[in-house]
Amino acid sequence: MTQSTLECTEANLRALVGKLVEVTNPDRKVGRAAEEFLQNLESQPGYGVLLLRLLELEAVPCFQQNKPASNHVLVASITFKNYIRRNYHANGEHVIGDAEKDLIKQHLVELMLKTPLRVQRQLSEAVFLISRVDFPHKWEGLLPALVTSLRSGELQLIEGSLTTAHSILRHYRNVYKSESVLRELLYILPLLQEPLLLVFRHLLEQLPKAQGPVQRRVMLAVQSAVE
């Protein structure tokens, strides 16, 4: 990999996979060296987008085939989350450029909702971390993307959307209701009220039909919809 902008080339993706595999090597010397190598890449433009491209290529097919993600794919999602945690805010170790931030926000939510559960949880946390910096004023597409998934009727998309919405909005419960906060709530409530009511009704209709683990998932989703 070069030290300039990291492009989403086959060679860069192949090299990235190699390092992600090494992270879980039983030889911790190899694992730590790989972790250090990946963290050093955080200073290079394009690194976040490269990680997302890898997840798109390898995690989405697992979701579509109802298979668990391989270890290196899970490591990629954790690596992306930690990259966002360290670098997205203004005082980050290697502040991400605005153009790359925009690309990440354009693709992250849709990608998150089409990945296996363990990967989805890591990407949902990344969405939350970004939202603490950019939502709502610099990420106006976030709630509409979640609403689209709430209307899908697909349980995993609904679960992911509800979990993410809950994490994004929970701080409004205890925050001082200043004029700026009230303006944000006036933006949020009209977008979410109707979709949440509809998904609540949909889940209640599905509850008697569900069996076993699926029934429990529906019950948890109902709980999430009313929290």
Side-chain angles (χ1 to χ4, degrees):
M1 295 183 183
T2 66
Q3 293 302 309
S4 57
T5 299
L6 285 170
E7 304 291 344
C8 293
T9 63
E10 185 176 344
N12 280 343
L13 288 165
R14 190 164 51 245
L16 180 60
V17 168
K19 291 299 178 182
L20 292 167
V21 170
E22 287 179 8
V23 167
T24 59
N25 192 300
D27 184 340
R28 287 311 302 149
K29 184 177 180 180
V30 174
R32 284 192 294 269
E35 290 169 0
E36 183 178 347
F37 178 88
L38 291 170
Q39 192 162 339
N40 286 337
L41 287 181
E42 293 182 3
S43 63
Q44 294 187 238
Y47 179 57
V49 174
L50 184 67
L51 282 167
L52 289 184
R53 178 58 176 159
L54 174 64
L55 289 166
E56 179 185 9
L57 291 172
E58 300 208 18
V60 173
C62 292
F63 171 75
Q64 292 170 337
Q65 298 165 26
N66 198 28
K67 295 179 179 179
S70 58
N71 285 339
H72 76 274
V73 174
L74 179 60
V75 171
S77 66
I78 296 169
T79 300
F80 179 79
K81 176 192 69 178
N82 291 335
Y83 163 73
I84 293 296
R85 187 191 304 279
R86 283 192 288 264
N87 301 297
Y88 199 89
H89 53 89
N91 298 317
E93 297 176 30
H94 306 289
V95 179
I96 302 167
D98 289 342
E100 185 164 7
K101 285 182 176 181
D102 287 343
L103 281 173
I104 287 170
K105 287 184 289 189
Q106 285 172 24
H107 299 289
L108 179 55
V109 174
E110 182 179 1
L111 175 62
M112 172 196 73
L113 294 170
K114 294 180 179 179
T115 56
L117 184 58
R118 291 199 301 167
V119 173
Q120 184 182 100
R121 287 171 178 162
Q122 301 301 323
L123 297 184
S124 179
E125 180 66 16
V127 171
F128 167 70
L129 292 168
I130 294 172
S131 75
R132 295 303 302 268
V133 179
D134 281 357
F135 181 78
H137 306 295
K138 294 182 179 180
W139 201 358
E140 294 182 352
L142 174 55
L143 287 188
L146 294 175
V147 166
T148 297
S149 295
L150 287 174
R151 295 181 184 276
S152 69
E154 297 181 34
L155 182 56
Q156 182 158 339
L157 296 185
I158 291 171
E159 288 173 313
S161 299
L162 288 173
T163 300
T164 304
H166 184 263
S167 67
I168 292 166
L169 302 176
R170 66 190 175 202
H171 79 282
Y172 285 103
R173 293 181 177 181
N174 302 314
V175 72
Y176 173 69
K177 301 302 186 292
S178 64
E179 185 176 341
S180 63
V181 168
L182 290 174
R183 281 198 299 269
E184 290 177 10
L185 290 172
L186 286 172
Y187 161 75
I188 292 166
L189 291 175
L191 285 172
L192 283 182
Q193 281 177 322
E194 182 186 2
L196 285 175
L197 179 59
L198 291 174
V199 80
F200 178 68
R201 289 174 176 167
H202 170 73
L203 291 169
L204 287 180
E205 290 172 359
Q206 297 304 308
L207 193 54
K209 307 172 189 176
Q211 300 292 326
V214 175
Q215 186 178 61
R216 174 169 171 76
R217 288 172 60 193
V218 174
M219 291 176 66
L220 291 173
V222 170
Q223 180 181 347
S224 214
V226 299
E227 284 184 342

